[in-house]
Amino acid sequence: MGKQTETTIYDIARQLNIAASTVSRALNNNPIVSKTTRKLIERTAQELGYRPNIMAANFRTKRTKTIGVILPLINRHFFSSVISGIEDIAYKNGFAVTISQSNDNFEKETKIAQTFYSNRVDGIIVSMGMQTKSYEHLRLFSEKKVPLVFFDRVADSIPAHKIVVDDYSGGYRATEHLIENGGKKIAHIGGPLNLKIYQDRLEGFKDAMSKSGLPVDESMLIHNSLTRSDGTNAIKRLMQNPQKPDAIFCANDTTALSAIIYLREKGIKVPQDILIVGFSNEPFSEVVTPSISTIRQPGFEMGQKAADLLITEIKSKGNTLPFQKIVMPTELIIRESSVR
Amino acid sequence: MGKQTETTIYDIARQLNIAASTVSRALNNNPIVSKTTRKLIERTAQELGYRPNIMAANFRTKRTKTIGVILPLINRHFFSSVISGIEDIAYKNGFAVTISQSNDNFEKETKIAQTFYSNRVDGIIVSMGMQTKSYEHLRLFSEKKVPLVFFDRVADSIPAHKIVVDDYSGGYRATEHLIENGGKKIAHIGGPLNLKIYQDRLEGFKDAMSKSGLPVDESMLIHNSLTRSDGTNAIKRLMQNPQKPDAIFCANDTTALSAIIYLREKGIKVPQDILIVGFSNEPFSEVVTPSISTIRQPGFEMGQKAADLLITEIKSKGNTLPFQKIVMPTELIIRESSVR
DNA sequence: TTGTAAGCGTTATCAT
DNA sequence: ATGATAACGCTTACAA
């Protein structure tokens, strides 16, 4: 049975025989209004069931108190953890969070960026899609001084804050661990190399190998999109190789899982015959048999940090701080798949 | 090196010596403008780097093309699947999606609802928190005719569209399956009964039991918040019971997992000694050992359906269709944990 | 088919 | 400390 028309600050002003501007000031906690009128206004607002029209305020102030988030896929544990962390901090600071998934599709990513821009989000947080090789669609934001924070899949060439995990040392530690457990012919199932994170994991892998004097066999390096079926194809190919691997460093847990399941079907034992380490610490990794050794990425904390940096940037309008690259520590979690 | 000031439709109009209204019409694909002027306007808009100020348009039209989503926890496979489905449909219809998580906290849920209302979202999609027993905070939306769609955790007493899975028959099928596999003393680890879904799963359980002439032992019914540790406590209590269960129907996969891991530690074999069925088909259920038999809930499709219904409702402004309760089918997935 | 002009609800500037 | 008023950029009757 709601009223047809919304209460505005004018209604409150009329009721109290004061100016709308005073009402506006009171409702925005402007200390200049007297205590008595403020109380009066607050009570009347309550009585009339006043709800601020944020759209009008946004329009006027050119701020939306909204953060846009672009990421490849919502429905993935790491990403949803990050979202959760972003939402946590945003909420505490009175910001809304708008989320769109690119599905690793470059066109969609571009369109989302444009929509966010047109919607005048106060800032955006981005993790790029696997296809993304050009950054024109994001340049709009840096040009117009809309704060932008990257996480995980970052564009090195764009000046912006970046939150990443230490992919290099993650890759290094994972490989080192495989070597410590007897791995000699170690394969790597990696992601597309246009993304820095996969370059870094690969570099870590290579450096750990050469540190131990082990050769990197190019035929044992596979790069794909790291889906479940990509993983299955990769492990198949590796096992057809005349030089079969005795250990595999997978750039995510999904492909590690593919490998484990494929090898199980073929009667090849993990970790006895082949050692495996994944990356990301997906929830299933702990409970699969054998449980998957992996590199933990603090998704929730990364989201918090990203939101925190972005909001700081938004609040310090224009006085852009020097861009930071925050490298969150990774942690090797040793489970069954890599220990003989 | 961006311009200080944004291009508006007036800039375009001035450049072409036409009226701003014509520009507005052209840019909104109003068929009334002639093809020639439209082309002209589009080209000029492009040249001037025009980006519509959606805030101004929203303010004017009182529409935001935004859907608000309130759910307990983003970082949970079922919920993130739903979000993914919502986002998919919303994007295709030109809607943005704003998401907030209640963390199963009633106060936060209330505050989110108010914020969404003040932000004038065009509609909201809600799955309630476990603490939520009053619906005052949502009444605002129905009063003001803001479309509202519930999913999964619905409030039966509120008139609105509802998307649920067939929890009753899910519970029934799960229990029936346990009985078929030799379960006689069957326990149930369930959720809080203020939520309809857990009532329904329990009802399905009870009916399947009585159908087979099996007694329901009240000491074998446990209700908690279904977290990992809740599950561990529950299975502990059940195993201390003088009447130990020979099968358990868990209201989610998380507690099923807790049970499996606890029993494994105690040397009790699943499924040989105790049969287990879960609910939700979390990703880990397929790969844990033993793999968990469970009830599949089509999260992505539920999200799609919810967004679809909501957008239809939004577009049919005011002419509210009769409220639907859409019951999505559940599917029993039989894996290792329940088959002897 | 195009132009004119009012108005959406708020905030901010300037005056009182 | 409060009031009057312009302005934000767009859409939409209504007029031409």
Side-chain angles (χ1 to χ4, degrees):
Chain A
M1 199 56 53
K3 298 188 306 304
Q4 228 24 273
T5 153
E6 291 291 318
T7 326
T8 73
I9 52 172
Y10 276 93
D11 298 323
I12 299 174
R14 202 172 310 121
Q15 177 116 351
L16 294 172
N17 261 310
I18 57 176
S21 44
T22 307
V23 178
S24 172
R25 283 189 279 254
L27 264 21
N28 285 293
N29 296 315
N30 187 326
I32 211 172
V33 300
S34 74
K35 207 157 190 169
T36 38
T37 45
R38 154 167 298 123
K39 280 274 161 267
L40 222 49
I41 288 168
E42 276 165 0
R43 211 185 46 225
T44 318
Q46 180 79 40
E47 283 169 14
L48 299 182
Y50 171 75
R51 308 267 162 188
N53 184 334
I54 296 190
M55 282 156 60
N58 286 348
F59 171 46
R60 181 61 231 252
T61 59
K62 299 180 186 310
R63 280 178 277 108
T64 53
K65 281 279 201 173
T66 296
I67 292 173
V69 180
I70 306 179
L71 38 66
L73 197 58
I74 292 167
N75 182 19
R76 184 101 156 258
H77 185 258
F78 171 68
F79 287 118
S80 64
S81 303
V82 174
I83 295 175
S84 195
I86 293 173
E87 199 277 339
D88 180 57
I89 296 297
Y91 178 80
K92 288 172 182 159
N93 286 273
F95 279 79
V97 179
T98 294
I99 294 163
S100 257
Q101 56 192 342
S102 66
N103 292 314
D104 279 313
N105 174 324
F106 181 65
E107 268 184 39
K108 192 175 174 195
E109 189 173 298
T110 304
K111 190 122 178 289
I112 294 169
Q114 284 166 354
T115 307
F116 279 174
Y117 183 82
S118 288
N119 272 302
R120 303 293 194 270
V121 294
D122 288 348
I124 63 170
I125 296 177
V126 182
S127 184
M128 294 184 311
M130 290 210 179
Q131 299 177 353
T132 304
K133 286 156 193 163
S134 136
Y135 313 122
E136 278 312 312
H137 57 307
L138 299 177
R139 205 162 305 260
L140 195 54
F141 295 90
S142 45
E143 271 178 9
K144 303 287 177 142
K145 310 260 184 275
V146 179
L148 164 60
V149 173
F150 283 106
F151 76 90
D152 195 49
R153 303 188 185 172
V154 308
D156 249 22
S157 67
I158 291 202
H161 293 304
K162 283 153 199 156
I163 320 280
V164 292
V165 293
D166 192 343
D167 289 287
Y168 172 84
S169 87
Y172 190 96
R173 281 288 294 125
T175 310
E176 190 180 53
H177 171 69
L178 289 171
I179 296 170
E180 285 164 7
N181 280 271
K184 299 235 181 306
K185 294 178 294 184
I186 308 184
H188 174 49
I189 301 177
L193 292 179
N194 54 310
L195 293 178
K196 190 70 165 39
I197 57 170
Y198 299 119
Q199 284 177 30
D200 288 351
R201 292 176 197 179
L202 174 64
E203 283 314 309
F205 167 79
K206 285 184 172 169
D207 284 5
M209 293 292 275
S210 66
K211 172 99 180 297
S212 298
L214 293 174
V216 172
D217 181 342
E218 287 295 328
S219 73
M220 291 217 194
L221 298 183
I222 295 185
H223 291 277
N224 56 38
S225 297
L226 300 177
T227 63
R228 184 74 183 269
S229 61
D230 284 333
T232 305
N233 292 334
I235 182 73
K236 264 187 204 162
R237 229 175 81 197
L238 287 174
M239 298 312 287
Q240 283 161 2
N241 211 318
Q243 278 285 334
K244 288 195 184 57
D246 58 12
I248 310 173
F249 164 45
C250 304
N252 72 359
D253 283 358
T254 305
T255 50
L257 178 66
S258 305
I260 284 177
I261 289 179
Y262 178 85
L263 293 172
R264 183 196 297 162
E265 283 166 3
K266 298 291 170 193
I268 301 168
K269 292 217 162 3
V270 177
Q272 291 82 349
D273 303 331
I274 295 190
L275 304 166
I276 289 182
V277 173
F279 209 109
S280 283
N281 194 27
E282 295 284 337
F284 63 75
S285 302
E286 186 188 355
V287 295
V288 67
T289 305
S291 57
I292 303 175
S293 298
T294 189
I295 302 290
R296 195 181 93 87
Q297 289 175 292
F300 187 83
E301 291 80 2
M302 288 172 76
Q304 288 185 309
K305 194 72 204 160
D308 193 41
L309 263 179
L310 187 75
I311 291 172
T312 307
E313 193 77 359
I314 290 170
K315 285 182 175 162
S316 77
K317 7 187 152 190
N319 317 324
T320 35
L321 323 166
F323 292 119
Q324 299 182 46
K325 178 163 190 168
I326 295 191
V327 180
M328 309 282 279
T330 53
E331 184 195 346
L332 172 66
I333 300 180
I334 300 175
R335 300 206 179 100
E336 296 165 352
S337 68
S338 64
V339 181
R340 279 206 260 261
Chain B
M1 198 55 55
K3 299 188 306 306
Q4 228 24 272
T5 153
E6 291 291 317
T7 329
T8 73
I9 52 172
Y10 278 92
D11 298 324
I12 299 173
R14 201 174 308 120
Q15 177 117 351
L16 294 172
N17 261 311
I18 59 177
S21 48
T22 307
V23 178
S24 171
R25 284 190 276 256
L27 263 22
N28 286 294
N29 295 314
N30 186 326
I32 211 171
V33 300
S34 75
K35 206 155 189 169
T36 37
T37 46
R38 152 166 299 124
K39 281 272 161 271
L40 221 50
I41 288 168
E42 276 165 1
R43 212 183 48 225
T44 319
Q46 180 80 39
E47 283 170 14
L48 298 182
Y50 171 75
R51 307 270 163 188
N53 183 334
I54 294 190
M55 281 156 59
N58 285 348
F59 171 46
R60 180 61 232 254
T61 58
K62 300 180 187 308
R63 279 178 279 107
T64 53
K65 280 280 201 174
T66 297
I67 292 172
V69 179
I70 306 178
L71 38 67
L73 198 60
I74 292 167
N75 180 21
R76 183 102 153 258
H77 185 258
F78 171 69
F79 287 117
S80 65
S81 304
V82 174
I83 296 174
S84 196
I86 292 172
E87 199 277 339
D88 180 58
I89 296 297
Y91 178 79
K92 288 173 182 157
N93 286 273
F95 280 79
V97 179
T98 295
I99 293 163
S100 256
Q101 56 192 342
S102 65
N103 292 313
D104 278 314
N105 175 323
F106 181 65
E107 268 183 41
K108 191 175 176 197
E109 190 174 295
T110 304
K111 191 121 177 293
I112 294 168
Q114 284 166 355
T115 307
F116 279 175
Y117 183 81
S118 289
N119 271 302
R120 303 290 193 272
V121 295
D122 288 348
I124 62 170
I125 296 177
V126 182
S127 185
M128 296 184 310
M130 290 211 180
Q131 298 177 355
T132 304
K133 285 155 195 163
S134 134
Y135 314 122
E136 278 312 310
H137 58 307
L138 298 178
R139 207 162 303 260
L140 196 55
F141 295 91
S142 43
E143 271 178 10
K144 302 286 178 153
K145 310 259 182 276
V146 179
L148 164 61
V149 173
F150 283 106
F151 76 91
D152 195 47
R153 303 187 186 172
V154 308
D156 248 21
S157 67
I158 291 203
H161 293 304
K162 284 153 199 155
I163 319 281
V164 292
V165 293
D166 192 343
D167 288 289
Y168 172 84
S169 87
Y172 190 96
R173 281 290 292 125
T175 310
E176 189 180 54
H177 171 69
L178 289 171
I179 296 171
E180 286 165 6
N181 280 270
K184 298 236 180 304
K185 293 177 295 182
I186 308 183
H188 174 51
I189 301 178
L193 291 180
N194 54 311
L195 292 179
K196 191 70 165 43
I197 56 170
Y198 299 119
Q199 284 176 30
D200 288 351
R201 290 176 199 179
L202 174 63
E203 284 313 309
F205 168 78
K206 284 184 172 171
D207 284 3
M209 292 293 274
S210 66
K211 172 99 182 293
S212 298
L214 293 174
V216 172
D217 181 342
E218 287 295 327
S219 73
M220 291 215 191
L221 298 183
I222 295 185
H223 290 277
N224 56 39
S225 296
L226 301 177
T227 64
R228 185 72 182 269
S229 61
D230 285 332
T232 306
N233 292 334
I235 181 73
K236 264 187 204 162
R237 230 175 82 196
L238 286 174
M239 297 312 287
Q240 283 161 1
N241 211 319
Q243 279 284 334
K244 289 195 184 58
D246 58 12
I248 310 175
F249 164 46
C250 304
N252 73 358
D253 282 358
T254 307
T255 52
L257 178 67
S258 304
I260 284 176
I261 289 179
Y262 179 84
L263 294 173
R264 183 196 296 161
E265 284 167 5
K266 297 294 170 190
I268 300 169
K269 293 218 163 1
V270 176
Q272 291 82 349
D273 304 330
I274 295 190
L275 305 166
I276 289 182
V277 174
F279 208 108
S280 283
N281 194 26
E282 294 284 337
F284 62 74
S285 302
E286 186 187 355
V287 295
V288 67
T289 306
S291 57
I292 303 176
S293 298
T294 190
I295 302 289
R296 194 181 94 86
Q297 289 176 291
F300 187 83
E301 291 80 2
M302 286 173 76
Q304 287 185 311
K305 194 71 203 161
D308 193 40
L309 263 179
L310 188 76
I311 290 172
T312 308
E313 193 77 359
I314 291 170
K315 284 183 176 161
S316 76
K317 6 189 154 188
N319 318 324
T320 35
L321 322 168
F323 292 120
Q324 299 181 47
K325 177 162 189 169
I326 296 192
V327 180
M328 310 281 280
T330 54
E331 184 194 347
L332 172 66
I333 301 179
I334 299 174
R335 299 205 179 100
E336 296 164 353
S337 68
S338 64
V339 182
R340 277 205 260 262

